[in-house]
Amino acid sequence: WIGNGVDVSTVRRLYDAVLAGQVRSAGSSFQQLDTFSTYASRLDNLFSDTSTGLATTLQNFINSVQAVANAPAAISSRQVLLSQAGALTNRLKSYNSSLDSISNQLNSQLNSEAAVISTIASNIATLNQRIVATQGINQQPANDLLDQRDKLLSDLATHLSVSTVMQSDGAVSVFMGNGQALVVNNVAARLSTAGDQYAATRTRLVLLSTNGAADVTDAISGGTVGG
């Protein structure tokens, strides 16, 4: 007989809150820099191409203007100037179209990020409720549920920077930005998007909670959204 005469008093998790917080912070910083780098590279490639970049197009236009200044009566120089002016106009239109495309992609990604963050926050709130109830009944740590919640917190940190405060009953409160509450006990706020009143093509992030709606765009850092 195996285990005869043995009583298991508890099962303890090997978990360090400080290390877990450092891992979340590192993951959040990586995602922010990676996202920023991706979009910055697209802009850099758009403007700095040696054959089609802004510098080359502007230089060709300036050269044609200088040629006309040197020989005002030369028909060929005037024709070159008109051609280069048209090329510069088309290039600027192309840039505008590309920037609009990037802006639309950013807005779409922000909408998706807001939905994912809201879902994770809701799941954390649900786990808070289950953990408090389970530990209150069994008087034992709800290790599986705690592991699930830690995984969700790590996932959440890849989208934006968060801080956590552990409650005495086992629940965890999650805060974002400048201390805005995302999860408190078993209640989760919802992150949504809204149009910018000063720029119709830009998207703002709004936190919807029991206290009302708050624009948190400028307060968010870290993670994909911060990037």
Side-chain angles (χ1 to χ4, degrees):
W1 298 89
I2 299 175
N4 241 6
V6 175
D7 256 345
V8 177
S9 59
T10 189
V11 177
R12 184 169 59 91
R13 285 200 313 158
L14 294 178
Y15 170 80
D16 190 300
V18 174
L19 292 178
Q22 291 176 344
V23 170
R24 287 197 296 268
S25 178
S28 183
S29 296
F30 170 78
Q31 288 297 331
Q32 177 178 3
L33 295 174
D34 184 59
T35 303
F36 182 86
S37 174
T38 298
Y39 281 101
S41 295
R42 292 181 60 181
L43 292 176
D44 182 61
N45 293 335
L46 179 65
F47 289 108
S48 65
D49 188 279
T50 55
S51 59
T52 61
L54 181 60
T56 301
T57 308
L58 280 174
Q59 189 60 56
N60 291 338
F61 175 71
I62 292 171
N63 290 342
S64 65
V65 172
Q66 187 62 52
V68 171
N70 293 336
I75 300 299
S76 60
S77 296
R78 296 181 180 184
Q79 290 176 337
V80 171
L81 173 59
L82 292 174
S83 175
Q84 291 299 331
L88 177 60
T89 301
N90 290 334
R91 179 59 56 194
L92 292 176
K93 288 180 179 178
S94 174
Y95 287 151
N96 184 69
S97 177
S98 297
L99 291 174
D100 283 344
S101 176
I102 293 174
S103 178
N104 291 335
Q105 184 176 344
L106 278 170
N107 291 338
S108 177
Q109 187 172 358
L110 283 176
N111 285 324
S112 299
E113 289 289 327
V116 171
I117 290 169
S118 297
T119 299
I120 295 175
S122 176
N123 290 338
I124 291 174
T126 300
L127 281 173
N128 272 344
Q129 186 175 26
R130 292 178 61 190
I131 288 169
V132 171
T134 301
Q135 294 185 158
I137 295 173
N138 300 331
Q139 298 299 309
Q140 293 289 339
N143 292 321
D144 289 345
L145 297 178
L146 292 171
D147 287 343
Q148 293 177 37
R149 189 177 66 185
D150 288 340
K151 176 63 168 58
L152 288 177
L153 289 172
S154 296
D155 292 343
L156 182 62
T158 65
H159 297 278
L160 78 169
S161 181
V162 294
S163 59
T164 59
V165 176
M166 189 64 64
Q167 307 298 328
S168 58
D169 58 2
V172 66
S173 295
V174 183
F175 301 92
M176 51 172 279
N178 295 327
Q180 292 86 354
L182 186 60
V183 179
V184 176
N185 295 324
N186 63 341
V187 178
R190 185 168 65 89
L191 194 63
S192 184
T193 56
D196 191 317
Q197 60 177 328
Y198 302 111
T201 59
R202 299 189 66 182
T203 295
R204 307 289 292 180
L205 291 168
V206 179
L207 187 66
L208 306 175
S209 66
T210 54
N211 296 323
D215 189 325
V216 294
T217 307
D218 298 329
I220 291 179
S221 63
T224 306
V225 177

